[in-house]
């Protein structure tokens, strides 16, 4: 199919039947990625139904823009569906989102953890609930605009779907989808996973979609102004209480203005004078309202205990692990619920997701519950 500037190759949605006999549900956030995914699904010839989640109450939603599932985004999704000639539904998941994502985000901050709300959202309302809704509609596929790939390979027990990184490494979103289950993956399809972002925008422009030039969301969707501390203080006011900043030896070095302003690995905002080297937050002790700080080398971690594992791959010990969405996977060994890094790893903190890979393939992941310092001599008892 050829437009003025762009040649569009329709992806194989692997529907298991002729497209004209299939029904496809598309999760539409109101952005360019999900809009192009919907366009590709519609051009396949299948019956397509667009679904947008309203994650905020109506009064708040209409004020928000530039963030996923905001008021403007719901309108944009409806306009794209009208342009494509497909049905569009809006589902009110405000209470589910508040309980499962926003409240958990605030709780993690109050516990001195580093939250990853996008992973929580994908594991909850984005996939679990949408998957159930698509099944209720008798859908043959649930399409999303994520930059990941679903690869079907033959195994000893027959064909099996695998989740792989997006073809464009700059856009890969597999880290946030580690909680996808095998049952969900059977239904999910990712038609833009093979494409670079620039091509997706060009396709949207060629099709005349109003979101073609729409900026990507840069912040956590429910904190579009980036003021995480402000949100947490409103929900968990105890996190604003001041407390001590102590060194690894327990010596008091200063005062902080509330643990809500800090995460492990942070340097900014400590305002400690007289140190011969930069100091970083090594540990947060919320019950004592205390920050433990030390030199950068004290942030090195040799292993991490991981809970709530979700596993898509086979049982294997030698893997590569990502502990942050923008970090590179590093070699590690899985031993039960413990990850042992081949080399000391920095930027590892409780609350983050640890995601295991075998090359391009996502094997699974879980939440980091506890870390062990690679420099035990520097550690002090909590």
């Amino acid at each position: 199919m050829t437009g003025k500037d762009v040649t569009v190759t329709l992806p194989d949605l692997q529907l298991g039947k002729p497209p004209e006999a299939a029904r496809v549900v598309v999760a539409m956030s109101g952005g360019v990625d999900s809009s192009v995914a919907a366009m590709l699904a519609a051009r396949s010839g299948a019956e397509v139904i667009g679904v947008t989640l309203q994650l905020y109450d109506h009064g708040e939603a209409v004020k928000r823009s530039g963030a996923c599932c905001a008021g403007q985004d719901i309108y944009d999704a409806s306009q794209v569906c009208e342009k494509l000639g497909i049905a569009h539904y809006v589902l009110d998941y405000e209470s589910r989102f508040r309980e499962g994502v926003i409240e958990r985000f605030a709780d993690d901050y109050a516990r001195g953890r580093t939250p990853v709300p996008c992973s929580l959202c994908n594991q909850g309302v984005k996939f679990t609930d949408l998957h159930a809704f698509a099944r209720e509609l008798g859908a043959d596929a649930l399409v999303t605009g994520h930059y990941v790939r679903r690869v079907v390979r033959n195994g000893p027990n027959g064909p099996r779907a695998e989740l792989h990184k997006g073809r464009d490494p700059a856009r890969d979103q597999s880290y946030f989808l580690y909680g996808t289950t095998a049952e969900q993956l059977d239904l999910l399809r990712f038609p833009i996973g093979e494409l670079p972002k620039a091509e997706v925008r060009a396709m949207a422009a060629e099709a005349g979609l109003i979101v073609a030039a729409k900026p990507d969301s840069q912040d956590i969707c429910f904190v579009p102004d980036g003021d995480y501390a402000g949100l947490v203080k409103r929900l968990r006011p105890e996190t604003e209480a001041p407390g001590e900043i102590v060194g690894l030896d327990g010596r008091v070095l200063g005062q902080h203005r509330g643990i809500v302003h800090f995460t492990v690995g942070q340097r900014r905002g400590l305002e400690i004078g007289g140190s011969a080297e930069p100091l970083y937050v090594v540990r947060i002790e919320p019950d004592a309202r205390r920050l433990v700080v030390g030199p950068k080398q004290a942030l090195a971690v040799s292993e991490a205990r991981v809970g709530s594992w979700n596993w898509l791959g086979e049982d294997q010990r030698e893997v590569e692990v990502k502990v942050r969405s923008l970090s590179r996977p590093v070699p590690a060994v899985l031993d039960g619920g413990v990850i042992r890094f081949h080399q000391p790893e920095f930027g590892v903190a409780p609350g983050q997701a640890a995601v295991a890979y075998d090359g391009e393939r996502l094997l699974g992941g879980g939440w980091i519950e506890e870390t062990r310092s690679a420099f035990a001599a520097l550690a002090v008892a909590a």
Side-chain angles (χ1 to χ4, degrees):
M1 184 175 297
T2 304
K4 184 168 63 175
D5 299 310
V6 182
T7 299
V8 179
T9 301
L10 294 179
D12 181 4
L13 294 179
Q14 301 171 329
L15 299 173
K17 63 175 64 172
E20 58 272 15
R23 172 176 289 173
V24 174
V25 170
V26 183
M28 300 188 67
S29 67
V32 65
D33 300 327
S34 60
S35 296
V36 170
M39 180 189 74
L40 293 173
R43 289 182 176 179
S44 74
E47 176 194 2
V48 177
I49 300 171
V51 177
T52 302
L53 305 180
Q54 180 177 307
L55 302 182
Y56 314 98
D57 64 68
H58 180 71
E60 285 294 310
V62 295
K63 301 175 189 176
R64 296 176 184 264
S65 63
C68 171
C69 304
Q72 181 64 45
D73 299 311
I74 294 172
Y75 174 79
D76 289 345
S78 70
Q79 292 300 293
V80 169
C81 287
E82 184 175 337
K83 174 77 173 179
L84 298 176
I86 64 176
H88 181 240
Y89 296 98
V90 179
L91 304 182
D92 183 0
Y93 278 24
E94 187 268 338
S95 59
R96 290 271 290 141
F97 185 75
R98 174 171 292 276
E99 294 170 6
V101 179
I102 299 178
E103 296 287 343
R104 169 73 178 271
F105 178 83
D107 284 340
D108 277 350
Y109 258 99
R111 295 168 59 197
R113 295 162 66 90
T114 303
V116 187
C118 293
S119 293
L120 277 176
C121 186
N122 286 321
Q123 292 176 34
V125 296
K126 285 278 181 72
F127 276 8
T128 303
D129 293 349
L130 268 180
H131 179 270
F133 181 75
R135 287 294 192 196
E136 288 178 8
L137 291 182
D140 298 287
L142 172 59
V143 165
T144 82
H146 288 100
Y147 287 89
V148 293
R149 292 176 294 139
R150 178 181 183 271
V151 177
V152 178
R153 292 194 172 150
N154 289 322
N157 298 318
R160 177 174 179 175
E162 301 175 351
L163 192 58
H164 287 228
K165 296 177 184 178
R167 185 71 69 188
D168 182 352
R171 301 299 306 181
D172 170 50
Q173 294 174 300
S174 60
Y175 176 82
F176 298 109
L177 302 185
Y178 80 84
T180 305
T181 66
E183 181 185 6
Q184 292 166 357
L185 194 55
D186 283 342
L187 192 66
L188 284 163
R189 304 293 187 272
F190 310 101
I192 68 169
E194 296 280 353
L195 304 175
K197 181 74 176 209
E199 187 171 340
V200 169
R201 287 202 180 277
M203 291 166 64
E206 184 269 341
L209 303 184
I210 64 170
V211 296
K214 186 175 181 177
D216 293 333
S217 174
Q218 298 298 319
D219 294 297
I220 294 173
C221 68
F222 55 89
V223 197
D225 60 0
D227 184 12
Y228 309 143
L231 172 72
V232 177
K233 284 188 290 187
R234 290 196 298 273
L235 296 175
R236 303 291 182 270
E238 68 274 14
T239 61
E240 197 175 6
E244 293 180 338
I245 302 175
V246 305
L248 293 170
D249 58 3
R251 181 167 53 94
V252 177
L253 302 177
Q255 298 287 316
H256 66 79
R257 56 194 177 95
I259 63 170
V260 66
H261 298 286
F262 300 92
T263 54
V264 170
Q266 184 171 325
R267 178 185 174 191
R268 178 179 52 83
L270 287 174
E271 300 176 358
I272 301 173
S275 175
E277 58 183 329
L279 297 176
Y280 300 80
V281 177
V282 175
R283 188 170 66 250
I284 299 174
E285 300 174 349
D287 292 340
R289 303 198 306 272
R290 184 163 52 227
L291 300 179
V292 180
V293 300
K296 186 174 183 179
Q297 63 186 25
L299 293 171
V301 166
S302 59
E303 61 184 53
R305 182 173 61 82
V306 179
S308 302
W309 272 101
N310 178 65
W311 199 250
L312 283 171
E314 293 76 21
D315 183 20
Q316 59 191 92
R317 288 171 51 85
E318 289 288 343
V319 298
E320 292 181 310
V321 173
K322 288 181 69 168
V323 294
R324 299 176 308 283
S325 62
L326 298 179
S327 67
R328 293 184 176 182
V330 296
V333 174
L334 295 185
D335 185 4
V338 176
I339 294 172
R340 295 191 171 89
F341 300 102
H342 285 198
Q343 299 293 331
E345 180 68 5
F346 289 81
V348 187
Q352 292 173 323
V355 182
Y357 294 86
D358 180 5
E360 293 291 300
R361 182 186 179 190
L362 186 148
L363 299 174
W367 299 110
I368 297 174
E369 301 293 346
E370 186 179 9
T371 62
R372 180 177 180 180
S373 173
F375 297 88
L378 294 176
V380 295

